[in-house]
Amino acid sequence: MKSSIKKTLENLLGPSRVAVDPVNRALYCRDMMSGSTLEMKAGLHPHLPDLICWPETTEEVSKIVRTANHHKIPVIPFGGGSGVSGGTLPLRGGIMIDLKRMASLETIKRVDDPYPHYVATIQSGILGEHLERKLNERGYTLGHFPSSILCATLGGYLAARSAGQLSSRYGKIEEMVEDLEAVLPLGTIVPFGGRIKKYPEVAPKEILVGSEGTLGIITRARMRIHPMAPAARYRGISFNSLSSALRAIRNIMQTGLRPSVIRLYDELDSLLLKYGYEADDRKKTGKKFLSEFPYLSSLKENAFHALLHHPDWIQTLFQLAPAECLLIIGFEGDADFIRHQEKEALKICKERIARDLGEKPGLHWLKKRYSVSFKMPDLLEKDCFVDTIEVAATWDRLEALYEGVRRELKKQCLVLAHFSHAYSEGCSIYFTVIGHTGSARKNLESYRQVWRKAMGATLAAGGTISHHHGIGLLKAEWLAQELGGAMRFFKRIKSRNDGVREKRKKSFSTRSL
Amino acid sequence: MIADLETYLRKKKYTLGYQPEAGTKLTLQKALEKRIPNRWAARYGEIENICMALSVNTPFGPIQTRRAPRAATGPDFKKIFIGSSKKYGTLQEVILRVSPRPEREIALQIRWKKRNQENFLKRFLGSGVSFRSLQKMNCVEAGLKTVHKMVKETGGTCSIRRER
């Protein structure tokens, strides 16, 4: 059966664009969910896709999907594979459709409805960084800067409802998309301005954005773009207490100021950040010294592991000791205007007890903003488990959410947190959890427990279980609680659009990690 | 009636931020069912952004969407129900976001030759000045000084049409 499918696809795409060899199958078996690394270390085998193919046009994608449908094989759309929720794991094998060969920025034009602005038509397989560079050459920006910009595609952004670091100014990806072209599970192509036949009252983008590859494959998008901002300013402000800082952020967003970035680090995370940029000034002589004495560096590692075995000590210490919280705030736009906006924001901050630290912390954040994500592999190498949990809530529930999650996780792992992606309605919290148990299997077990507790605490506090990473497989078991009655509606949309129930590799079912 | 709601909010120093084209006889239910566009969408968003959560009676039973500022938990079902004219269910209750009432509202009228209008538009959209609406007849309500500066640099003339 498999060879006839392979032959059909080779006839369609040519043998160079279809692969069934073990190397490719291994490369496409996972995304960047850290749980997959922990599973592999614990000796669990990953699921492999059966076949990978690389279409170059929307019609080819449609034909591949029709072939798969005919043979009742699951199909998984693959962009950059940078998701951290296991969204592309081929649980039932199937055909991996890698869209990165469909990567052109097609047209840019001005549109006058609802108000004059600029839009670009872009194929969904383009990498974020390439797209941004191409737009910059023409004097525009998408305004979307996730830390996965180097290895994520536009289609992936849309499928997962991602957010960039400047989302307070430019919005999340779902606020930037105006229309989509997509291929539905039975192979139908929905063009721009078209409608999904079974849901003619709804714009296709409302069904497909956030569907994480379960309801269709996005092939093109029409995105709102902005002329590049001529200037940018950044500043660091330190507060005595987390709640006064959150109050300040809320005021800033609700008076109508639009900072491009507004990030608040909690006490522990602020200390690490401060250590980070002061260490930079000292040119990291400490690290070089340690590397020449392997005994000392292993001592440092053992100390770190010992600390992680009793994470609640250091966290309780921080709650008792007076510690500052660091707020990074930045603006982008016309030079005079942003100077004025920054002054207004500082005025709001100074209504609480706050110290203006100047632009250095802001510039340091700007320099290191993508590098933080790349530190995770180091920790995973050192036999720790590490992951990021991002949730969101409206302002009235935010602090309770923060306290609730920390209380649940305190005894099990180190919890760092920062608040970012602020809006006038609320804000998101980004927790980084680091723990160590001593064995790979125990790490995996502890990791799963951490997620279970964090998700439970989030739902109890009335927050949402994911702000921009998406559900994937990692959070699938809590999606029903999050959506409530809408879960049935979601499953119905899927079953009505899908020819065969097993067609898509993933159902948002009770499959947990 | 939306007009009544807005009057009530304005008394308490808030605004809904929703100004539909239709006129004063529009009810909230109709605005949600037909997704009537908001003239002030540039600042406050469309009606589906102003609505933060809703509860609907559907054939599957009642659905209540979660009140979160933004989320990545599948498609946003709120946006599927709004604008679908009762096809998937009847709206029971909505939670709307209200904003502080602006202290000052200014409408500007700017004129140029067509070439320079494009130039101004690009500078304006990149400047970060927050505006409520930008209409084809070249009106803009925004940060004054900056707009004056940009207009001058692109060779236009700017005059205040209405101030409140």
Side-chain angles (χ1 to χ4, degrees):
Chain A
M1 184 189 75
K2 260 274 90 53
S3 56
S4 74
I5 299 174
K6 178 167 178 265
K7 211 167 262 175
T8 321
L9 292 177
E10 278 184 345
N11 286 339
L12 172 67
L13 304 173
S16 63
R17 289 199 278 139
V18 175
V20 292
D21 60 288
V23 173
N24 269 310
R25 292 177 69 197
L27 286 173
Y28 281 87
C29 77
R30 60 164 298 183
D31 61 5
M32 295 192 192
M33 178 169 69
S34 66
S36 298
T37 309
L38 295 173
E39 283 188 343
M40 283 194 211
K41 282 185 169 222
L44 300 173
H45 289 287
H47 298 272
L48 300 181
D50 294 309
L51 186 149
I52 302 103
C53 58
W54 291 267
E56 283 173 5
T57 65
T58 309
E59 288 69 31
E60 282 178 359
V61 175
S62 167
K63 289 194 182 132
I64 298 168
V65 168
R66 278 185 215 269
T67 311
N69 203 19
H70 177 69
H71 293 277
K72 298 191 183 4
I73 297 197
V75 156
I76 304 139
F78 191 93
S82 65
V84 291
S85 310
T88 59
L89 300 192
L91 290 186
R92 299 191 194 103
I95 299 177
M96 199 72 91
I97 303 185
D98 183 339
L99 291 156
K100 293 197 288 286
R101 298 255 178 133
M102 298 168 50
S104 53
L105 166 61
E106 292 177 344
T107 57
I108 293 182
K109 62 175 195 214
R110 173 178 152 180
V111 149
D112 283 323
D113 173 44
Y115 60 86
H117 62 280
Y118 296 92
V119 294
T121 310
I122 314 160
Q123 280 187 316
S124 65
I126 191 169
L127 280 182
E129 206 246 329
H130 294 172
L131 173 61
E132 188 60 27
R133 217 187 306 152
K134 287 189 182 165
L135 287 172
N136 289 3
E137 281 165 17
R138 321 258 286 260
Y140 298 99
T141 175
L142 182 61
H144 197 69
F145 302 95
S147 34
S148 56
I149 195 171
L150 301 169
C151 51
T153 57
L154 178 64
Y157 292 161
L158 289 165
R161 296 176 83 93
S162 70
Q165 292 174 341
L166 305 191
S167 69
S168 298
R169 160 95 196 265
Y170 294 105
K172 284 179 79 203
I173 200 81
E174 66 260 25
E175 299 163 67
M176 299 180 188
V177 62
E178 301 213 332
D179 205 355
L180 292 180
E181 176 196 80
V183 174
L184 297 182
L186 295 179
T188 333
I189 299 177
V190 180
F192 285 121
R195 288 277 189 259
I196 298 176
K197 204 157 122 203
K198 300 215 164 88
Y199 297 94
E201 304 85 7
V202 189
K205 71 170 177 164
E206 305 302 359
I207 293 185
L208 292 169
V209 171
S211 61
E212 298 185 31
T214 57
L215 301 177
I217 303 182
I218 299 169
T219 48
R220 273 194 178 87
R222 187 153 60 212
M223 310 293 294
R224 176 173 315 175
I225 56 177
H226 307 254
M228 283 174 77
R233 299 177 74 85
Y234 300 94
R235 212 148 191 97
I237 302 168
S238 95
F239 287 83
N240 274 357
S241 84
L242 199 68
S243 15
S244 59
L246 284 174
R247 262 280 131 80
I249 298 179
R250 182 178 182 170
N251 274 1
I252 290 173
M253 297 310 294
Q254 287 178 343
T255 53
L257 288 172
R258 292 271 288 280
S260 59
V261 57
I262 181 161
R263 286 167 95 82
L264 174 67
Y265 294 85
D266 78 348
E267 289 95 345
L268 186 52
D269 218 341
S270 298
L271 189 75
L272 289 174
L273 205 76
K274 212 167 158 216
Y275 173 76
Y277 73 78
E278 281 171 4
D280 249 5
D281 293 341
R282 291 193 309 257
K283 301 229 162 109
K284 290 201 185 116
T285 46
K287 210 173 181 179
K288 201 170 168 229
F289 177 72
L290 278 179
S291 66
E292 290 177 24
F293 295 91
Y295 175 67
L296 278 178
S297 71
S298 77
L299 203 66
K300 181 184 173 205
E301 201 172 297
N302 288 338
F304 183 51
H305 287 178
L307 187 74
L308 286 178
H309 280 263
H310 300 280
D312 47 345
W313 291 359
I314 193 166
Q315 292 176 101
T316 320
L317 197 72
F318 263 86
Q319 276 175 318
L320 299 172
E324 319 178 317
C325 297
L326 179 63
L327 174 72
I328 308 270
I329 189 166
F331 291 90
E332 247 185 32
D334 175 81
D336 297 319
F337 187 64
I338 57 175
R339 204 177 308 141
H340 165 77
Q341 289 220 307
E342 194 185 65
K343 229 187 328 180
E344 289 293 318
L346 268 170
K347 226 192 287 179
I348 293 176
C349 291
K350 291 243 162 86
E351 284 168 16
R352 282 129 194 122
I353 307 172
R355 285 164 293 279
D356 179 1
L357 302 175
E359 60 170 16
K360 201 158 82 150
L363 293 176
H364 177 260
W365 167 79
L366 188 68
K367 199 166 74 162
K368 301 269 160 142
R369 63 210 254 230
Y370 295 144
S371 61
V372 163
S373 303
F374 293 91
K375 292 207 167 32
M376 267 172 63
D378 284 340
L379 286 164
L380 288 167
E381 288 275 296
K382 295 188 169 63
D383 296 324
C384 298
F385 68 84
V386 56
D387 210 348
T388 52
I389 304 177
E390 35 81 56
V391 296
T394 44
W395 291 113
D396 56 343
R397 297 171 179 171
L398 198 65
E399 278 191 73
L401 171 57
Y402 170 71
E403 296 294 335
V405 173
R406 284 199 59 191
R407 196 179 29 238
E408 287 289 314
L409 301 183
K410 213 163 68 155
K411 290 204 177 349
Q412 215 161 344
C413 55
L414 196 66
V415 180
L416 309 171
H418 68 251
F419 299 77
S420 56
H421 307 287
Y423 311 98
S424 66
E425 304 96 342
C427 190
S428 92
I429 315 179
Y430 201 90
F431 295 101
T432 309
V433 295
I434 309 173
H436 183 264
T437 55
S439 93
R441 285 217 170 243
K442 276 211 212 117
N443 264 350
L444 186 59
E445 188 48 56
S446 194
Y447 170 83
R448 290 177 183 179
Q449 234 187 343
V450 160
W451 269 100
R452 216 170 291 144
K453 287 185 179 169
M455 295 287 97
T458 307
L459 288 167
T464 179
I465 60 178
S466 175
H467 172 264
H468 61 271
H469 282 173
I471 302 292
L473 287 168
L474 184 57
K475 300 162 222 173
E477 68 184 84
W478 297 282
L479 186 64
Q481 269 181 280
E482 162 88 19
L483 291 182
M487 188 72 186
R488 268 187 82 186
F489 191 33
F490 192 179
K491 286 190 170 168
R492 178 130 165 91
I493 300 179
K494 182 160 163 54
S495 66
R496 283 186 86 196
N497 266 314
D498 244 313
V500 172
R501 211 171 317 141
E502 296 244 271
K503 169 116 185 29
R504 285 281 172 201
K505 58 96 188 156
K506 176 171 87 217
S507 59
F508 282 177
S509 64
T510 54
R511 205 275 184 183
S512 65
L513 241 213
Chain B
M1 297 272 178
I2 293 194
D4 298 334
L5 180 60
E6 184 68 21
T7 323
Y8 172 76
L9 288 172
R10 288 220 163 205
K11 262 192 234 144
K12 306 211 166 194
K13 307 264 174 68
Y14 290 114
T15 175
L16 195 57
Y18 183 57
Q19 177 83 318
E21 309 261 353
T24 52
K25 289 244 180 93
L26 189 64
T27 59
L28 188 58
Q29 184 156 43
K30 192 147 175 230
L32 287 167
E33 280 173 8
K34 300 226 190 290
R35 201 186 155 270
I36 306 224
N38 183 9
R39 236 190 234 155
W40 296 345
R43 169 92 186 241
Y44 298 105
E46 296 283 355
I47 188 72
E48 72 254 21
N49 304 114
I50 295 177
C51 169
M52 286 183 60
L54 43 75
S55 56
V56 208
N57 267 347
T58 67
F60 307 111
I63 291 182
Q64 189 161 37
T65 61
R66 204 159 253 264
R67 171 161 75 89
R70 305 282 192 278
T73 52
D76 188 352
F77 290 95
K78 180 186 77 180
K79 296 198 183 147
I80 294 179
F81 290 120
I82 293 177
S84 60
S85 310
K86 293 200 215 178
K87 178 85 187 279
Y88 308 115
T90 45
L91 298 170
Q92 298 295 306
E93 209 177 68
V94 291
I95 300 180
L96 301 174
R97 181 231 306 147
V98 296
S99 314
R101 195 182 78 189
E103 291 170 17
R104 201 172 160 209
E105 297 170 51
I106 304 170
L108 299 171
Q109 183 171 18
I110 311 172
R111 297 175 196 280
W112 325 245
K113 300 190 195 117
K114 207 157 177 218
R115 261 198 323 255
N116 290 339
Q117 189 197 78
E118 195 73 28
N119 210 355
F120 171 77
L121 189 66
K122 285 195 182 167
R123 297 193 56 173
F124 179 68
L125 290 175
S127 69
V129 172
S130 147
F131 58 98
R132 192 166 73 176
S133 64
L134 182 66
Q135 290 161 299
K136 253 159 78 170
M137 48 192 198
N138 304 328
C139 278
V140 64
E141 303 169 325
L144 261 186
K145 231 197 268 178
T146 314
V147 175
H148 274 296
K149 179 185 82 174
M150 287 190 286
V151 169
K152 211 157 124 199
E153 285 170 13
T154 52
T157 58
C158 181
S159 59
I160 296 185
R161 201 175 121 203
R162 183 177 67 233
E163 184 164 347
R164 254 199 296 247

